[in-house]
Amino acid sequence: MSDKDINLAITYFLKSIKIDPDYAGAYYDIAYTYSFKEQYDKALEYTIVGITKQTDEIALSDLYNMKGTILQAKSDYEGAKIAYKKALE
């Protein structure tokens, strides 16, 4: 996937948040694309917001798993461990 494609995806996900700011799935998608670009701080920011908006338990687990993956990439192993445990709950 090219950087241009990733940036286009981010643009569309951001537009979807403007349409429905409570749609937690878009926050996961944005976090995923930013983590793919290794922009972990931005990815973590959207993951945290998504966690606060998510009500579905399975999707919430996915967001905590994403958070753990991002924190692991940032070498925050203790934070990653906590996030992974939350994902399993």
Side-chain angles (χ1 to χ4, degrees):
M1 188 177 326
S2 73
D3 202 44
K4 181 180 176 183
D5 292 335
I6 295 169
N7 290 334
L8 182 60
I10 290 170
T11 299
Y12 285 123
F13 295 139
L14 290 172
K15 285 181 182 181
S16 70
I17 287 174
K18 285 183 181 178
I19 293 168
D20 184 0
D22 292 326
Y23 176 54
Y27 293 94
Y28 176 90
D29 294 334
I30 293 171
Y32 179 80
T33 51
Y34 275 126
S35 68
F36 193 81
K37 292 178 66 160
E38 297 181 2
Q39 293 182 4
Y40 300 119
D41 290 334
K42 284 185 178 182
L44 186 58
E45 175 186 332
Y46 283 99
T47 302
I48 291 168
V49 173
I51 287 169
T52 66
K53 294 183 177 292
Q54 188 55 258
T55 56
D56 178 76
E57 289 182 9
I58 294 171
L60 188 59
S61 176
D62 290 341
L63 281 159
Y64 274 112
N65 186 60
M66 173 65 70
K67 184 178 180 182
T69 302
I70 294 164
L71 291 172
Q72 184 175 348
K74 291 175 56 100
S75 299
D76 179 356
Y77 302 114
E78 188 58 34
K81 182 179 173 182
I82 293 167
Y84 288 138
K85 283 184 178 182
K86 291 289 283 183
L88 292 171
E89 289 177 3

